[in-house]
Amino acid sequence: MQRPYNFSAGPATLPQEVLTQAADEMLNWPDASGKRCGMGVMEMSHRGKEFISIYTQAEADLRELLAVPANFQILFMQGGGLAENAIVPLNLSTLRSGASQTGGADFVLTGSWSEKSFTEAGKYCNAHIAASGKSEGFTHIPAPQTWELSESASYVHICSNETINGIEFHTLPDLKALGSKAELVIDFSSHVASRGVDWSRVGLAFGGAQKNLGPAGLTLVVVREDLLGHAMAICPSAFNYQTVAKNQSMYNTPPTYAIYMAGLIFQWLKRQGGVVAMEAANKAKAELLYRTIDASGLYFNRVQKECRSHMNVPFFLRDESLNEAFLIGAKDAGLLQLKGHKSVGGMRASIYNAMPLEGVQALVSYMQEFERTHG
Ligand SMILES: *Cc1c(COP(=O)(O)O)cnc(C)c1O
């Protein structure tokens, strides 16, 4: 059965073969040798040997896929990207000030998500805007050389892929080269596992799973070990990275089913050739879509070319009165959830790992046909 192509920004489309496998295993999970254990994954104790094997495999596969160095911990948490906006300052803002003083952090604002992170962090630390693309409507990344980094900041926060505005850091900033002693924190929610990560430039990365890794409910945190143990006294225990790390993400019950699903995605990613193959495929998909938009008289995208996202492609119709007809026609053509985020309007095609090239080709054909008949 060919399902419609689903361009949702998240929760987002998942590979059909993964969903089929999960359905087959729903009532009675088989171990690696194929032996069924009599329970579904949702029904297992998180401390039992069956789930521990699922967890251990998922962690190892993710470490391999993202080439996470041995001195980084992988944490499977809950609360989503938004909770991390509080959890990160609770854990890291006092890295350089010491726990008895209010710490500081710098923020580079490139869109809605980094703005949210800045506002939330202000509840827990001195949050400072080092650079902002807001006055230009969030269409570019301010050049790192122009960032006004504060002397005492414990970390610099960036959103490495702005899901709503469609802006992506294709290279992570090198804070050391900019003369900063701060750690780089990246919110990679919406492009995790779509490309490699230069861990030499990163202190902590976090992301909700529901864009590119699986179902909602799981939050991935990858943190360098020496950043653990600096949490503010008011930090909730379940959100203290050191506590979570010491307990292999089982200080409290982890989101077991979401970890299992993410684990199936990791194995699927490995079958696709890993993150290197994904990166090339994602680039090809994005280039096809942007080329179509740029060549058209009806559609446009406002983002500067060098920082256009390979994952989330917002675009607009020059005649906005055609928006409704565009969306209805798209649905009839088997192309779902293309409506743009309410804060920017227009359209948005999210083309995560699980979106095949054929899906983008179908979208491009539809866009061209719509322009011919409405242009
Ligand atoms: C979706 C998203 C979030 C929010 O995640 P929740 O799981 O809803 O809290 C945060 N940051 C980015 C970049 C996102 O795309």
Side-chain angles (χ1 to χ4, degrees):
M1 173 195 60
Q2 170 66 52
R3 300 192 305 161
Y5 294 112
N6 175 359
F7 295 90
S8 170
T13 192
L14 294 171
Q16 189 156 330
E17 65 186 79
V18 166
L19 296 175
T20 306
Q21 182 182 351
D24 172 66
E25 298 179 353
M26 176 65 75
L27 301 183
N28 200 348
W29 178 78
D31 66 16
S33 70
K35 188 165 165 287
R36 302 263 171 182
C37 72
M39 311 174 271
V41 176
M42 265 182 265
E43 306 167 302
M44 291 173 183
S45 164
H46 57 300
R47 308 208 184 274
K49 73 174 189 330
E50 294 87 1
F51 184 73
I52 296 286
S53 76
I54 291 171
Y55 175 91
T56 308
Q57 187 68 48
E59 206 223 277
D61 285 341
L62 181 67
R63 193 174 282 282
E64 178 187 334
L65 280 164
L66 294 186
V68 178
N71 64 331
F72 281 70
Q73 292 271 352
I74 293 175
L75 311 179
F76 292 118
M77 298 180 68
Q78 302 186 59
L82 284 185
E84 290 301 323
N85 285 342
I87 297 169
V88 171
L90 280 163
N91 279 274
L92 298 192
S93 67
T94 52
L95 264 180
R96 294 186 59 216
S97 64
S100 60
Q101 286 195 43
T102 307
D106 283 344
F107 290 79
V108 176
L109 307 192
T110 51
S112 308
W113 288 113
S114 45
E115 260 194 317
K116 276 203 172 112
S117 303
F118 163 71
T119 305
E120 183 73 6
K123 295 181 183 174
Y124 306 102
C125 70
N126 296 316
H128 166 250
I129 299 176
S132 172
K134 189 165 190 163
S135 63
E136 282 156 78
F138 291 132
T139 52
H140 78 301
I141 295 175
Q145 297 75 22
T146 68
W147 295 359
E148 291 169 14
L149 300 172
S150 31
E151 195 58 42
S152 58
S154 293
Y155 66 91
V156 177
H157 175 112
I158 64 169
C159 177
S160 48
N161 185 64
E162 286 279 4
T163 321
I164 293 172
N165 307 82
I167 295 180
E168 183 168 10
F169 281 81
H170 293 296
T171 315
L172 293 176
D174 182 352
L175 293 183
K176 276 192 209 84
L178 296 172
S180 167
K181 293 195 183 74
E183 300 294 338
L184 182 66
V185 169
I186 66 172
D187 173 357
F188 68 170
S189 295
S190 53
H191 72 164
V192 53
S194 72
R195 61 186 307 149
V197 176
D198 182 352
W199 293 107
S200 73
R201 296 188 174 182
V202 174
L204 181 144
F206 71 82
Q210 72 271 24
K211 314 287 164 64
N212 227 355
L213 298 182
L218 166 65
T219 317
L220 172 67
V221 174
V222 183
V223 56
R224 217 177 56 236
E225 262 161 11
D226 59 291
L227 305 189
L228 301 175
H230 299 273
M232 295 164 68
I234 61 162
C235 180
S237 308
F239 291 156
N240 184 316
Y241 293 137
Q242 186 173 47
T243 307
V244 178
K246 268 194 187 145
N247 291 280
Q248 284 79 44
S249 301
M250 301 216 191
Y251 173 72
N252 64 332
T253 312
T256 52
Y257 197 76
I259 292 171
Y260 156 76
M261 285 296 296
L264 296 187
I265 297 287
F266 301 155
Q267 286 174 14
W268 175 81
L269 283 170
K270 286 170 72 173
R271 292 197 296 277
Q272 309 307 304
V275 167
V276 172
M278 248 32 262
E279 182 167 354
N282 288 325
K283 186 159 182 263
K285 286 171 348 194
E287 278 175 358
L288 172 60
L289 187 46
Y290 285 117
R291 222 183 306 126
T292 305
I293 293 167
D294 290 342
S296 127
L298 179 61
Y299 312 106
F300 69 99
N301 167 289
R302 296 194 181 94
V303 178
Q304 278 187 3
K305 287 195 173 140
E306 56 281 5
C307 56
R308 284 175 168 181
S309 170
H310 290 176
M311 294 279 100
N312 309 98
V313 182
F315 63 93
F316 302 87
L317 277 63
R318 287 187 202 280
D319 179 356
E320 297 251 297
S321 72
L322 293 173
N323 282 359
E324 205 49 38
F326 180 89
L327 288 168
I328 290 169
K331 198 169 170 205
D332 289 343
L335 307 166
L336 306 183
Q337 307 206 71
L338 283 162
K339 192 172 180 167
H341 190 270
K342 59 185 185 300
S343 66
V344 294
M347 307 296 153
R348 174 174 48 168
S350 294
I351 49 175
Y352 298 118
N353 285 341
M355 175 60 64
L357 177 63
E358 292 73 28
V360 178
Q361 286 166 337
L363 172 60
V364 160
S365 299
Y366 169 71
M367 288 168 70
Q368 289 169 338
E369 176 62 20
F370 185 87
E371 182 168 1
R372 265 195 297 280
T373 46
H374 296 79

